[in-house]
Amino acid sequence: MDIETVKTTDVATAKTVRISGSEAIIKCMIAEGVETLYGYPGGAIMPVYDELYKYRDQIHHVLTRHEQGAAHAAQGYARISGKVGVALATSGPGATNLITGIADAQIDSTPLVCITGQVASHLLGSDAFQETDIVGISTPVTKWNVQITKAADIPEVMAKAFYIAKSGRPGPVLVDITKDAQFEEFDFSYKKCTSVRSYKASCKPNIEAIQKAANLINGAKKPMIVWGQGVILGKAEAELKAVIEKAGIPSAWTILGASAIPTEHPLNIGMVGMHGNYAPNMLTNECDVLIAIGMRFDDRVTGNLSTYAKQAKVIHFEIDPAEIDKNVKTDVAVLGDSKLSLAELLPFLNETSHNEWHQKFKDLYAIEFEKVIKDDLHPTKEGLTMGEVINQINVQSKGDAAIVSDVGQHQMIACRYAKFNKTKSNITSGGLGTMGFGLPAAIGAKMAAPERDVVVIIGDGGFQMNIQELGTIFQQKVPVKIVVLNNEFLGMVRQWQQLFFDKRYASTEMTNPDFVTIAKGYYIAAKKITKREELAGAIEEMMTHEGAYFLEVCVEKEDNVFPMIPTGASVSDIRLS
Amino acid sequence: MESNQNTYTISIYTENNIGLLNRISAIFQRRHINIESLNTSISEIEDVSRFTIVVKLEEDRIKKIVGQIEKQVEVIKAYYHTDEETIYQESCMFKLKSDLLFEEREIQNIIKESNARIVTVNKEFFVLEKSGKRNEIEQLYRDFSVYGIMQFVRSGRIAVTKEEMKISQMLTAFN
């Protein structure tokens, strides 16, 4: 490790003390403000766990039931708090089990520091017991990773790890530490890292680009904003709201941008993308200026790129230079932190209202409401819909709950229909689409924001991918509300099979166990409902219950999620049925 | 697609850290881009390494690749250049039977005309070194193939740009 690359502050260092590498790791975490971490012990990380025992009054370690659960819990913690999530695992299988969570964090720009134990340095490369090349394995899915073989390197590397994870476009960092480095003693002192010479976290917004953007926006007849998670990560919610309101721009969000602006805001026109709202998808191909803020033009958002917003001038506000022109060619790129950029933009904007243009969104919403939303939220047919469950949660939570969702049909329904009053309220696996994310992520979210109601919506498939984390919920007494929408299918795959594979339901039907008994086996209050008349009461009971609560709702087996843009189709080819 | 492809030399200034080669090569691997040649060495700046990578690509793709390379934490700066914008060389070595040197007059002519350099000679074999453009090295390879080549090896391209690369200024600004 070339420690010369780390430029530290001039802040006086703590007094030097001679300690072990493993104790140094704990001290570094405490210095970085880590209060809670998630993990699973094993041979190669035992010295660190031994120190954790010593520091248990200062740092709370949560024993998950699987390392994947630890990574996702750390993600949930990071997403709702804006802090760095920390996960800990042993070498070999412990480390590889973290990988799905790390990959998820990488694509969804979630700040994580994952610490893995490694076999002793003299055994490296010898195929020793529980040895894997976790640095090699994690390279494509980390923002940065490193292996430490000498205890003396720990402070510099840990400081750098936290700095890189949380600065600029956040992401996961993996630090692999050999067992001998954990035991080795050295003179410890710690300085936080504030810059790295080869790493530019962000740049100041270019004023010329901002003026160009303002001119385009001021001249637009039909402007439209699509914002993403960059707004939330940049804490730019107020600046975005000010821009939207001053320039009167209809504004849509990507799945990870949800909740940055309240759902009920009159200029909030809904979600874009494959299962987004009809109006913003249709009118993407009609707007004259498309303003993308902190989003990356994911293929689930753009559909067929060759027909995406071709008529529009595109302005891209983005912190990551590599995202500019990656998928959609921009006319004006404004690089930098969204909070600064939008604040700089605001004074250049004319006060406008685009009433006629906004009316088009309202008209198309009315069509979507009539053909899709009404039946989803207020069904008249017998079976329960996923939409009405979300609607009932909105009623009970008054839009103040944080909604964690797993991946599948229920996720799309939750993101479409959940009402959000507060930012950082939508926690879901967007880019990787990781089934099994929801339950452990909800643990982390609730632990980071104990004052908030945290409701996790999961399908019967995803629930069984990390069902063991019910044990963590029980042991840690995390009062999370778990709603399993059970349609006895891997619903999204089944929907695709129905629409595109001649209803050949290959391996998507699930014969499920008695979930309520399982939840009760973990000493979690649980209920199962099958009828509409039970719904409101059950949700109320769940929301008012003091501890964790498990609610299984048996929903229609073969309901589909619409609107839908088939893969490869244009956004304006969005289907309502 | 093929017709829009051009040969580009990518120059990457990096920290000298373990694992960075893996990170950089992974960027090409996941996009199914074949690396024509790759060279790593120290650079003109103390403690800064330099990668020189040659690829054949369309210009819009090379821009994106360089963007992804620059995004790596330990990459200080990455550039791409066309052949016209660089002065570039490759190096190669031939191991040939010593008999040829003494018995085949034509071999001596080839060595002289190609500006190849004899590195060593012994009873069994002699070794030639030649630096130059790819086509010069390939021509030499064809010429010697007739007589039999015992061993051949060619280096990756190394290149310097005709224009200044302002990397030193960037690093000065940091310090």
Side-chain angles (χ1 to χ4, degrees):
Chain A
M1 178 61 215
D2 181 4
I3 58 173
E4 292 301 314
T5 61
V6 181
K7 189 181 182 185
T8 50
T9 56
D10 294 323
V11 175
T13 56
K15 198 177 136 192
T16 300
V17 284
R18 192 157 186 86
I19 57 172
S20 70
S22 49
E23 186 168 6
I25 291 164
I26 310 297
K27 281 186 171 289
C28 293
M29 288 196 283
I30 291 170
E32 291 293 339
V34 177
E35 293 168 341
T36 308
L37 72 160
Y38 302 87
Y40 205 101
I45 196 73
M46 276 177 66
V48 175
Y49 271 86
D50 192 53
E51 293 297 335
L52 274 170
Y53 187 77
K54 191 162 98 189
Y55 284 90
R56 63 189 182 279
D57 57 336
Q58 291 182 57
I59 195 160
H60 178 49
H61 178 269
V62 177
L63 173 66
T64 56
R65 296 302 185 263
H66 190 287
E67 290 87 351
Q68 188 186 348
H72 291 323
Q75 286 181 274
Y77 182 94
R79 288 275 293 274
I80 202 163
S81 67
K83 296 180 191 168
V84 177
V86 182
L88 194 58
T90 191
S91 63
T96 57
N97 281 346
L98 289 175
I99 289 293
T100 301
I102 294 173
D104 193 288
Q106 170 81 341
I107 200 162
D108 281 354
S109 308
T110 306
L112 285 193
V113 169
C114 295
I115 298 162
T116 51
Q118 182 57 276
V119 300
S121 52
H122 72 277
L123 292 171
L124 286 169
S126 71
D127 299 327
F129 177 65
Q130 293 194 329
E131 185 198 1
T132 58
D133 172 16
I134 197 62
V135 172
I137 289 170
S138 65
T139 291
V141 291
T142 46
K143 186 172 173 186
W144 185 62
N145 63 3
V146 64
Q147 185 173 69
I148 299 176
T149 55
K150 292 189 207 79
D153 290 341
I154 287 172
E156 297 276 11
V157 171
M158 288 291 282
K160 194 172 164 184
F162 276 89
Y163 173 67
I164 289 169
K166 68 189 171 193
S167 60
R169 180 177 179 176
V173 170
L174 182 134
V175 181
D176 191 42
I177 308 177
T178 59
K179 200 167 177 180
D180 51 325
Q182 295 172 44
F183 280 125
E184 192 183 0
E185 291 200 342
F186 73 110
D187 294 330
F188 173 84
S189 65
Y190 193 73
K191 289 179 189 173
K192 281 197 180 184
C193 174
T194 55
S195 67
V196 176
R197 81 168 175 186
S198 57
Y199 167 66
K200 199 173 184 185
S202 184
C203 60
K204 278 189 184 163
N206 177 312
I207 199 70
E208 276 178 39
I210 283 179
Q211 282 170 335
K212 272 189 196 169
N215 290 341
L216 274 180
I217 295 168
N218 288 336
K221 297 273 182 285
K222 295 188 281 187
M224 176 175 153
I225 285 174
V226 178
W227 86 77
Q229 193 192 199
V231 170
I232 297 172
L233 293 170
K235 301 181 177 66
E237 294 91 342
E239 287 77 7
L240 175 64
K241 187 163 171 279
V243 164
I244 288 173
E245 289 174 354
K246 186 173 183 187
I249 305 172
S251 302
W253 35 276
T254 69
I255 194 166
L256 291 186
S259 84
I261 302 289
T263 314
E264 300 294 346
H265 191 284
L267 287 164
N268 184 335
I269 52 168
M271 183 164 82
V272 288
M274 181 173 273
H275 292 287
N277 290 100
Y278 188 54
N281 275 312
M282 287 293 287
L283 295 179
T284 297
N285 282 351
E286 206 177 301
C287 65
D288 56 359
V289 175
L290 180 67
I291 306 136
I293 305 171
M295 57 85 82
R296 59 187 178 86
F297 293 108
D298 177 81
D299 57 281
R300 282 292 197 265
V301 163
T302 63
N304 186 349
L305 271 175
S306 64
T307 58
Y308 182 78
K310 287 295 165 197
Q311 79 296 339
K313 296 277 185 194
V314 177
I315 304 168
H316 197 175
F317 289 82
E318 174 58 48
I319 199 166
D320 180 355
E323 290 298 339
I324 303 295
D325 294 339
K326 189 181 86 175
N327 296 329
V328 171
K329 185 89 183 141
T330 55
D331 294 280
V332 180
V334 183
L335 276 172
D337 174 88
S338 56
K339 191 177 184 72
L340 290 177
S341 300
L342 294 176
E344 295 264 20
L345 175 73
L346 188 65
F348 292 109
L349 295 180
N350 296 339
E351 273 192 50
T352 328
S353 61
H354 295 279
N355 291 337
E356 207 175 310
W357 169 233
H358 194 211
Q359 188 57 43
K360 286 196 167 196
F361 289 90
K362 290 178 182 167
D363 294 344
L364 290 176
Y365 178 80
I367 293 170
E368 185 183 344
F369 185 85
E370 210 41 50
K371 294 201 168 168
V372 179
I373 299 171
K374 192 170 74 176
D375 288 338
D376 275 352
L377 300 188
H378 312 289
T380 49
K381 62 180 182 181
E382 194 181 335
L384 280 159
T385 67
M386 291 179 269
E388 66 183 314
V389 180
I390 306 299
N391 197 33
Q392 198 53 236
I393 293 167
N394 290 337
V395 170
Q396 295 290 334
S397 69
K398 300 182 177 64
D400 289 338
I403 303 292
V404 182
S405 51
D406 207 75
V407 169
Q409 284 184 315
H410 68 278
Q411 175 192 31
M412 294 298 119
I413 293 288
C415 293
R416 279 175 57 77
Y417 295 125
K419 290 213 187 304
F420 299 115
N421 295 331
K422 297 177 180 171
T423 188
K424 295 197 185 81
S425 292
N426 181 51
I427 297 163
T428 195
S429 167
L432 200 65
T434 306
M435 286 176 70
F437 172 89
L439 193 62
I443 295 171
K446 182 65 185 173
M447 294 182 87
E451 74 288 358
R452 299 195 63 183
D453 282 329
V454 174
V455 183
V456 52
I457 316 290
I458 324 183
D460 45 315
F463 184 50
Q464 291 176 86
M465 280 206 177
N466 271 319
I467 195 168
Q468 76 287 345
E469 297 309 332
L470 290 173
T472 310
I473 290 170
F474 163 61
Q475 184 175 355
Q476 298 289 328
K477 298 185 172 40
V478 191
V480 66
K481 314 301 178 190
I482 308 154
V483 180
V484 166
L485 301 180
N486 184 0
N487 58 9
E488 297 180 322
F489 267 115
L490 298 176
M492 190 59 96
V493 183
R494 187 213 56 75
Q495 175 170 340
W496 282 50
Q497 288 171 332
Q498 180 188 338
L499 299 175
F500 309 117
F501 291 87
D502 298 328
K503 291 191 177 181
R504 289 153 65 89
Y505 292 165
S507 295
T508 43
E509 194 163 10
M510 298 201 98
T511 305
N512 287 320
D514 180 347
F515 290 134
V516 168
T517 298
I518 289 171
K520 285 184 174 169
Y522 282 101
Y523 306 99
I524 293 170
K527 181 176 257 188
K528 173 180 179 175
I529 62 165
T530 56
K531 295 189 181 73
R532 183 158 298 129
E533 51 270 29
E534 300 170 302
L535 180 63
I539 300 275
E540 187 183 1
E541 184 179 323
M542 174 181 81
M543 297 301 285
T544 53
H545 185 82
E546 275 198 9
Y549 194 98
F550 173 86
L551 178 65
E552 177 184 357
V553 184
C554 297
V555 295
E556 273 292 275
K557 285 188 71 164
E558 296 183 51
D559 262 356
N560 288 334
V561 184
F562 284 106
M564 180 180 187
I565 303 165
T567 308
S570 168
V571 287
S572 43
D573 290 334
I574 186 167
R575 294 169 53 169
L576 284 167
S577 60
Chain B
M1 289 288 278
E2 286 291 318
S3 60
N4 296 328
Q5 288 193 339
N6 207 342
T7 298
Y8 291 100
T9 303
I10 302 172
S11 302
I12 313 167
Y13 286 86
T14 74
E15 303 294 353
N16 182 19
N17 290 349
I18 291 169
L20 195 50
L21 174 60
N22 194 2
R23 246 175 208 286
I24 289 171
S25 63
I27 291 170
F28 294 90
Q29 181 193 26
R30 72 183 282 209
R31 291 167 180 80
H32 278 261
I33 296 168
N34 187 37
I35 291 175
E36 303 280 321
S37 84
L38 186 150
N39 182 81
T40 69
S41 69
I42 61 162
S43 71
E44 67 276 19
I45 305 155
E46 197 179 344
D47 295 333
V48 172
S49 300
R50 181 163 169 177
F51 287 63
T52 307
I53 298 174
V54 180
V55 286
K56 283 183 181 159
L57 273 182
E58 301 80 18
E59 188 166 18
D60 64 329
R61 292 190 78 199
I62 193 85
K63 276 185 190 168
K64 290 178 192 176
I65 292 291
V66 168
Q68 295 296 332
I69 292 170
E70 280 211 325
K71 195 171 154 172
Q72 302 306 313
V73 167
E74 285 151 331
V75 169
I76 298 165
K77 187 75 188 160
Y79 304 87
Y80 71 93
H81 293 100
T82 60
D83 287 354
E84 291 71 38
E85 293 167 330
T86 60
I87 294 150
Y88 58 96
Q89 296 273 284
E90 289 174 350
S91 182
C92 72
M93 291 169 83
F94 292 90
K95 181 174 157 185
L96 302 164
K97 280 189 178 165
S98 291
D99 298 353
L100 295 171
L101 188 60
F102 305 115
E103 290 168 13
E104 297 283 347
R105 181 175 291 263
E106 186 57 21
I107 288 279
Q108 294 183 16
N109 290 336
I110 294 168
I111 294 170
K112 200 182 289 178
E113 283 164 20
S114 65
N115 289 322
R117 187 173 65 86
I118 296 175
V119 178
T120 189
V121 184
N122 64 29
K123 275 204 286 185
E124 303 297 319
F125 61 83
F126 70 102
V127 176
L128 283 173
E129 183 273 340
K130 159 79 186 162
S131 293
K133 296 275 191 291
R134 173 72 64 91
N135 60 350
E136 296 173 73
I137 290 169
E138 284 174 349
Q139 181 58 49
L140 204 53
Y141 186 94
R142 282 194 292 274
D143 292 344
F144 286 139
S145 291
V146 180
Y147 303 97
I149 299 168
M150 293 171 77
Q151 283 185 39
F152 171 77
V153 64
R154 188 180 67 210
S155 75
R157 174 186 287 193
I158 54 170
V160 292
T161 55
K162 292 175 183 170
E163 296 291 319
E164 184 189 4
M165 284 201 247
K166 293 181 177 172
I167 182 79
S168 297
Q169 280 170 252
M170 276 178 52
L171 294 175
T172 310
F174 180 88
N175 290 323

